[in-house]
């Protein structure tokens, strides 16, 4: 395990997390929000994530099912992490918001066909 850290553009929101040794699995989603914002997902269990600062700077946005809570810095607008619908027990950290991004192993996630993509993700991780 290694520790990563990062945050938003203005520095108000800062976090750190423990993740597996590189190459670190990452998901490149093509849904409307991820493709428009350039979000590259690193999934981190809640227990392995610490929000160091900026809780008061976060504002949320939900759409569709409302299961995902997209968290943005109210000052600079950057979404450095959020609660994804696909992994309710984990945060999704934006690899582009890391201070020193480790080597990544990037897989595609077809968020435009979410239910099918989530089922395939579960099957590939034995969660069936």
């Amino acid at each position: 395990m290694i520790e990563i850290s990062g945050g938003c553009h203005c520095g108000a929101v800062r976090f750190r997390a423990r993740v597996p040794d590189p190459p670190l699995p990452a998901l490149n989603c093509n849904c409307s929000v991820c493709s428009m914002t350039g979000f590259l997902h690193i999934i981190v269990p809640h227990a392995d994530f610490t929000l160091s600062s900026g809780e008061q700077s976060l504002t949320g946005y939900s759409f569709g099912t409302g299961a995902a809570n997209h968290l943005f810095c109210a000052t600079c607008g950057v979404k450095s992490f959020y609660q994804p619908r696909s992994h309710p027990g984990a945060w999704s950290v934006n690899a582009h918001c890391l201070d020193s991004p480790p080597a990544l192993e990037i897989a595609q996630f077809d968020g435009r066909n979410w239910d099918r993509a989530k089922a395939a993700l579960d099957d590939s991780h034995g969660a069936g």
Side-chain angles (χ1 to χ4, degrees), residues 16-63:
R16 51 183 207 281
R18 303 248 332 130
V19 296
D21 290 332
L24 192 57
L27 295 172
N28 186 23
C29 179
N30 68 354
C31 80
S32 58
V33 169
C34 294
S35 59
M36 287 182 180
T37 61
F39 202 97
L40 184 57
H41 302 261
I42 297 172
I43 304 302
V44 178
H46 288 156
D48 294 333
F49 180 93
T50 302
L51 181 60
S52 307
S53 64
E55 183 175 0
Q56 72 285 355
S57 297
L58 293 171
T59 188
Y61 169 70
S62 293
F63 66 99

Side-chain angles (χ1 to χ4, degrees), residues 31 33-34 59-63 68-72 79 81-83:
C31 80
V33 169
C34 294
T59 188
Y61 169 70
S62 293
F63 66 99
N69 186 16
H70 299 269
L71 299 169
F72 298 85
K79 179 172 74 166
F81 74 98
Y82 80 105
Q83 178 60 66

